[in-house]
Amino acid sequence: MPSRKEQQRGDDDDPLRARVRAIADKRGARSVAVAYHDYETKTGWSYRGDEWFHAASTIKVPVLLGVFRAIEDGRLSLLARVHVRNRFISAAGDRSAFRVAASRDANAEVQKNIGRTMRVQELAHHMIVTSSNLATNLLIEIVGVDAIVDTLSRLKLDSGVTFRRGVEDDAAHEAGINNLCTADGMLAVLRVIEERKAFSEASSEQMLEILHAQEFRSGIPARLPDGVRVANKTGEISTVAHDAGIVYVPDRKPYALVVLTEWDAEKTSGRSDTIARISRAVFDHLTGSAG
Amino acid sequence: MHQLGDLEVVDGLKLPARERQVLRPGELVRGRDGFTRRLPRWFYRVPSWEVALEVSLAPHFKLWEFLDVDVREHELLRVHGPRYVPLAVTLLAAALEAFRREVNTYVHISANGGYRSPAHGLSGHASVHCWGVAANLYRVGDDLLDDVKNISRYSDLAREVFPAFQVLPFGSGVGETDDHLHLDVGYAVVTPHGMGDEEADKNAGPLPGGGAEARRGRKGGA
């Protein structure tokens, strides 16, 4: 940890860093990490970009990469049907089973289809757009944890994203088996999608289309001006709140932004607004809109 | 409107090689219990999903309910068609109909809960589903069968109306279920009228494993 004096010196050199720190401190965040890559100015920046956090639901974006890798390899298709079954084997290694409680899932649509089938494209949509935990675990089961890990490895994303299991796997969590990410790592995931290099143009467009349909907009998009579009994925559990997105500003190239935050468990209000304020600070910094 | 009688009955041993590799008609396979059994040889050929939607196996059960599979099934049976289902599926449908009358409400078979080919991703241990005589029920009326109370209650009811039903007990271990009710009528196979295994064997050659020749007492390998 840098000393207070070193931090102050860093803040003096970097106004954005100072602003991010000020927002985080005022809101009482325990820890904040931010990273962006701007395609307009071809610059990148991060604040505590290599600090590891529990990834929460932002891990669903790397899972999306795994799904589309399986599709591009011909092992899966968007139209393939998947049995919606709410029973999963824990990654804890004890072969115990777990379910995603309906009360712990923001989306009722997938739960409603238990016993039936849904198409891969529907599950991918719900995994991102409504952050369905059940859809996520079904896709992980079909694609395979190892295949997703391999996808991240082949894309050289594993230095900043650690994928190990499905969501709501309490036994694995108790055993210390978690999905983790850094701000720099999640930023690299977004860049893979936006830059359309690792996947076909069609797959990249489809992933972006899903991210654009996001229904949770209280983080990165919330304080941005009208006309700015954001393709994003949020993540929140008891002690973390994150957002990762690509921001499309009219008349300039987009920028990718990741904001990871950690909180005391009892501090439940103001998390999304903290992310929104940091997002606005980055927007002002990049577009010269700072007042 | 298509009916069961419209479906062609086919000898699995005479199917093209690709289909035989997926269905493995007449092959001996070893189950989780250590016993070897012969997979079904006679199938209904279902030309399309639309036909499966129309054909009734019992007053309250359509053929599609026993064929509804997901991406884990071999693509030959899932994407390209036609589909195949062992003749014994009609026995299961009759038994389920008796159960349906007893509960007097909808009985829902889950996806992957009816016939699964030996190539299906969940058929690793020669599951009884490969005989087309097993059904996984996830809901009866408004009752989800995902707890000990409902699974036990409906398994008792099923055995009352059809004592030959085999059910898997509630639990999360091997051979147990905790999110559906498994019912089956044993490893039943149906040989159609006008056809016989011996006569057909003469035309099609011995069964894998040399079953017909062994029964004639010919000398051969162990």
Side-chain angles (χ1 to χ4, degrees):
Chain A
M1 284 284 284
S3 68
R4 186 170 289 275
K5 192 176 277 186
E6 286 169 332
Q7 283 184 348
Q8 186 59 51
R9 198 178 309 127
D11 289 355
D12 292 343
D13 295 342
D14 184 345
L16 178 58
R17 176 185 161 129
R19 198 162 167 205
V20 167
R21 274 177 45 80
I23 294 168
D25 289 347
K26 188 174 180 185
R27 293 294 173 137
R30 203 157 67 193
S31 185
V32 167
V34 183
Y36 75 68
H37 177 85
D38 183 22
Y39 291 98
E40 176 76 14
T41 59
K42 297 184 177 63
T43 58
W45 174 92
S46 66
Y47 170 66
R48 294 185 164 177
D50 58 356
E51 187 174 316
W52 288 93
F53 289 74
H54 189 300
S57 286
T58 59
I59 200 65
K60 293 168 186 175
V61 184
V63 172
L64 189 69
L65 293 183
V67 170
F68 274 85
R69 173 54 64 210
I71 290 168
E72 295 218 328
D73 289 349
R75 291 181 282 118
L76 197 61
S77 93
L78 280 172
L79 297 179
R81 291 194 167 276
V82 177
H83 175 199
V84 179
R85 184 179 183 189
N86 191 357
R87 186 182 193 281
F88 306 97
I89 300 299
S90 172
D94 58 359
R95 301 296 298 166
S96 62
F98 70 97
R99 296 180 191 176
V100 176
S103 60
R104 297 275 299 159
D105 211 335
N107 176 272
E109 184 68 23
V110 184
Q111 294 271 350
K112 203 172 73 185
N113 278 290
I114 285 173
R116 306 190 187 105
T117 59
M118 292 180 77
R119 294 189 188 279
V120 167
Q121 66 182 17
E122 295 173 303
L123 293 172
H125 176 89
H126 285 298
M127 172 174 74
I128 299 296
V129 174
T130 62
S131 205
S132 166
N133 291 330
L134 182 53
T136 303
N137 283 359
L138 289 166
L139 288 171
I140 291 170
E141 191 173 75
I142 285 294
V143 175
V145 169
D146 290 346
I148 295 170
V149 169
D150 182 60
T151 296
L152 298 178
S153 171
R154 281 198 281 164
L155 294 171
K156 296 183 169 44
L157 297 171
D158 50 351
S159 61
V161 177
T162 300
F163 174 74
R164 298 186 67 188
R165 63 167 171 86
V167 290
E168 296 290 314
D169 183 350
D170 291 339
H173 179 69
E174 291 296 318
I177 299 169
N178 291 309
N179 300 320
L180 306 172
C181 71
T182 66
D184 287 343
M186 199 54 74
L187 186 75
V189 171
L190 293 176
R191 291 186 62 182
V192 160
I193 299 173
E194 173 61 24
E195 292 170 16
R196 297 162 172 80
K197 285 176 184 164
F199 291 84
S200 68
E201 180 79 17
S203 289
S204 301
E205 291 294 337
Q206 283 166 326
M207 285 189 275
L208 282 169
E209 193 177 311
I210 293 171
L211 287 163
H212 269 297
Q214 180 57 247
E215 290 184 2
F216 296 108
R217 298 286 189 182
S218 60
I220 288 174
R223 287 182 175 267
L224 298 181
D226 292 344
V228 174
R229 296 180 304 119
V230 182
N232 67 305
K233 180 71 199 83
T234 59
E236 180 158 7
I237 56 170
S238 59
T239 56
V240 304
H242 309 322
D243 202 356
I246 304 163
V247 180
Y248 299 85
V249 183
D251 303 322
R252 84 187 293 285
K253 288 181 179 170
Y255 63 89
L257 171 65
V258 177
V259 183
L260 308 180
T261 67
E262 190 172 303
W263 305 79
D264 292 329
E266 62 272 16
K267 176 77 178 161
T268 55
S269 65
R271 294 179 176 188
S272 294
D273 191 53
T274 302
I275 295 171
R277 286 174 187 274
I278 291 171
S279 166
R280 180 66 197 218
V282 172
F283 174 86
D284 291 344
H285 173 78
L286 290 176
T287 62
S289 307
Chain B
M1 196 69 157
H2 291 85
Q3 296 178 335
L4 184 66
D6 299 334
L7 299 182
E8 183 186 359
V9 173
V10 297
D11 180 351
L13 293 178
K14 293 182 177 176
L15 287 171
R18 269 185 84 196
E19 273 93 336
R20 274 188 280 121
Q21 281 166 10
V22 174
L23 299 171
R24 298 166 59 185
E27 272 192 40
L28 279 171
V29 289
R30 190 183 302 278
R32 200 196 302 272
D33 56 9
F35 291 102
T36 52
R37 302 177 182 90
R38 219 170 268 290
L39 286 164
R41 169 175 169 178
W42 304 94
F43 297 85
Y44 291 113
R45 189 202 305 270
V46 186
S48 68
W49 185 248
E50 288 67 32
V51 169
L53 289 171
E54 288 182 5
V55 169
S56 291
L57 295 183
H60 294 94
F61 290 95
K62 299 279 191 182
L63 181 53
W64 72 268
E65 297 173 78
F66 301 85
L67 293 176
D68 190 16
V69 287
D70 77 353
V71 67
R72 295 170 180 87
E73 182 56 277
H74 194 284
E75 65 175 355
L76 193 69
L77 302 181
R78 184 169 48 83
V79 181
H80 303 299
R83 294 161 192 252
Y84 298 88
V85 60
L87 301 194
V89 72
T90 53
L91 302 180
L92 174 66
L96 286 175
E97 183 66 24
F99 176 65
R100 166 70 173 77
R101 287 183 185 172
E102 178 67 18
V103 298
N104 195 30
T105 186
Y106 299 105
V107 171
H108 299 269
I109 303 171
S110 78
N112 292 334
Y115 173 62
R116 302 197 296 246
S117 82
H120 192 292
L122 300 176
S123 296
H125 291 279
S127 162
V128 69
H129 288 275
C130 299
W131 274 256
V133 292
N136 294 340
L137 310 182
Y138 73 94
R139 192 153 68 91
V140 174
D142 291 332
D143 291 339
L144 284 172
L145 306 186
D146 62 357
D147 59 25
V148 64
K149 177 173 155 270
N150 281 344
I151 289 176
S152 302
R153 178 183 163 213
Y154 284 107
S155 64
D156 289 347
L157 270 175
R159 280 185 295 201
E160 271 179 37
V161 298
F162 193 82
F165 262 140
Q166 300 289 312
V167 302
L168 295 182
F170 179 86
S172 58
V174 173
E176 299 172 328
T177 65
D178 59 8
D179 70 339
H180 65 269
L181 169 61
H182 169 101
L183 299 173
D184 72 69
V185 298
Y187 294 84
V189 292
V190 169
T191 302
H193 282 281
M195 300 176 193
D197 292 340
E198 288 299 321
E199 287 80 2
D201 278 356
K202 284 177 189 166
N203 297 327
L207 286 168
E213 289 190 8
R215 281 195 296 279
R216 288 187 205 112
R218 293 173 61 172
K219 287 184 180 176

